[in-house]
Amino acid sequence: MTRRIRSSSSRFSRILGVGSYRPGNVVGNEKICELIDSDPEWIEKRSGIRTRHFAEDDETIPVMGARAAEKALSAAGLTPSDVSCVILCTMSYLHQAPPAAAACVAELGARGAAAFDLGAACAGFSHSLAVARDLVACGQSEHVLVVGAERMSDIVDPRDRSTAFIFGDGAGAAVVGPADEPGIGPVVWGTDTEHLGAIQQSRSFTEVRNDPLVRWPFLEMAGPEVFRWAIGAVAEVCTQALAASGVTVQDIGTFVPHQANVRIVDAAVKALRLPPSVEVARTVREEGNVSGASIPLALDTLTAAGRVRPGSLVLTAGFGSGLSYSAQVVVAP
């Protein structure tokens, strides 16, 4: 019997369906190495990454998000007209107005739905899921689409040996709706500002406006610093999320952390002492780090492969620039 998530609310919410979208352009490590001083074996050993997807010009963040959302709605047995609100998390959208979420609503055909963007980098999906949970639980919205969509190839320097091989593009989505029992546990979240500059843009767009010769403000990362932080922080926030939901690692069926690096995932599995029976997402090998889209992409991949039992408990954890972090336990759709 699956243990029930603890909740203080009188109205409950859960994930009703998930979906994903991957650009057709699959880029292997060999291609990445054409512009950086590295080799495919070094990349895979360091990160676990073998391939990633890069979007074409017409595969915008709103478009990819809408395609993932369509699949999530279909899995939930719903249509765009059933959507009350769309939360789109992204860190790579370069077109500020209209918001990506509004453009996604238009592309999806969810006319009249509320829409807003949420910026929490690689923790964006977990943050957004927490907001969606409460919107449904308080009765403000009936069905909320949580979309993670990224074009990391727009903000990463293909000649930067420390970041060029890490990131990919794509979108994932989840439909959150009402439930008879708790389906999304309390979020445990925060920001470790001692590492505020560990993942950041090199400069502001204002500098580019004022001086056209200034280098594009690519994303930069202090890899060793982030790795050392994540090794301890991910397991800690997951442990707190389990306690907040009133469950233990023995109750978990699937672990879906942010797909940043296989070594970070493996370290979290070891620190949490997850039983061998727990399915662990390691889709970073094929997807790369897709920031705010990585968790729904991974969850949909495991669900489609039959590796997630409906009704079982899934532990999720997001972490990234800020350094922001969040985790929660959810019931698998």
Side-chain angles (χ1 to χ4, degrees):
M1 176 182 291
T2 300
R3 194 165 178 176
R4 180 172 168 173
I5 293 174
R6 182 167 57 205
S7 176
S8 59
S9 174
S10 59
R11 177 178 157 106
F12 308 122
S13 57
R14 66 169 293 168
I15 295 175
L16 304 178
V18 292
S20 59
Y21 178 87
R22 296 165 182 80
N25 181 21
V26 180
V27 180
N29 289 340
E30 296 82 0
K31 186 68 175 178
I32 298 295
C33 290
E34 291 178 5
L35 296 178
I36 62 173
D37 179 20
S38 186
D39 60 74
E41 293 75 20
W42 181 87
I43 291 175
E44 186 171 350
K45 182 178 180 180
R46 183 179 177 85
S47 65
I49 299 170
R50 301 164 185 159
T51 60
R52 74 285 293 148
H53 299 255
F54 283 171
E56 302 292 350
D57 290 345
D58 61 342
E59 292 173 308
T60 65
I61 283 173
V63 166
M64 291 192 294
R67 299 294 86 82
E70 288 168 348
K71 294 177 182 178
L73 286 168
S74 177
L78 300 170
T79 68
S81 63
D82 296 311
V83 177
S84 311
C85 176
V86 174
I87 306 171
L88 194 151
C89 59
T90 183
M91 68 175 296
S92 54
Y93 193 53
L94 300 179
H95 190 95
Q96 289 299 296
C104 183
V105 164
E107 179 71 26
L108 183 63
R111 185 173 181 178
F116 60 92
D117 296 353
L118 189 150
C122 302
F125 182 80
S126 293
H127 277 48
S128 299
L129 192 60
V131 175
R133 167 190 185 262
D134 290 348
L135 284 174
V136 173
C138 76
Q140 179 66 49
S141 299
E142 190 70 9
H143 296 107
V144 179
L145 262 173
V146 179
V147 180
E150 303 283 9
R151 283 179 56 110
M152 299 301 290
S153 57
D154 284 342
I155 64 172
V156 172
D157 185 351
R159 291 176 171 79
D160 181 352
R161 188 174 186 268
S162 65
T163 60
F165 64 90
I166 295 175
F167 297 97
D169 302 340
V175 183
V176 176
D180 295 329
E181 295 184 347
I184 303 175
V187 66
V188 174
W189 55 5
T191 310
D192 188 345
T193 54
E194 289 186 10
H195 304 276
L196 184 65
I199 307 172
Q200 64 177 349
Q201 279 185 285
S202 56
R203 53 184 50 83
S204 74
F205 285 104
T206 303
E207 293 180 58
V208 179
R209 181 194 64 193
N210 294 339
D211 183 357
L213 299 180
V214 167
R215 181 173 176 266
W216 181 258
F218 288 116
L219 190 69
E220 296 181 351
M221 182 168 66
E225 179 183 348
V226 174
F227 182 82
R228 288 191 297 270
W229 175 86
I231 290 296
V234 175
E236 182 179 349
V237 70
C238 285
T239 299
Q240 293 174 9
L242 290 169
S245 290
V247 301
T248 71
V249 291
Q250 303 300 324
D251 301 310
I252 298 301
T254 309
F255 179 42
V256 185
H258 166 50
Q259 300 294 292
N261 183 304
V262 165
R263 292 190 297 157
I264 292 175
V265 174
D266 290 344
V269 169
K270 182 178 180 180
L272 287 166
R273 298 182 180 178
L274 293 181
S277 59
V278 175
E279 288 282 354
V280 179
R282 294 184 177 88
T283 54
V284 65
R285 292 168 174 162
E286 295 78 34
E287 313 274 10
N289 179 340
V290 199
S291 189
S294 79
I295 290 177
L297 275 166
L299 181 57
D300 186 52
T301 296
L302 268 59
T303 300
R307 294 172 57 191
V308 181
R309 180 170 56 85
S312 64
L313 297 185
V314 181
L315 173 61
T316 70
F319 54 93
S321 180
L323 291 171
S324 298
Y325 56 87
S326 53
Q328 64 258 99
V329 177
V330 305
V331 175

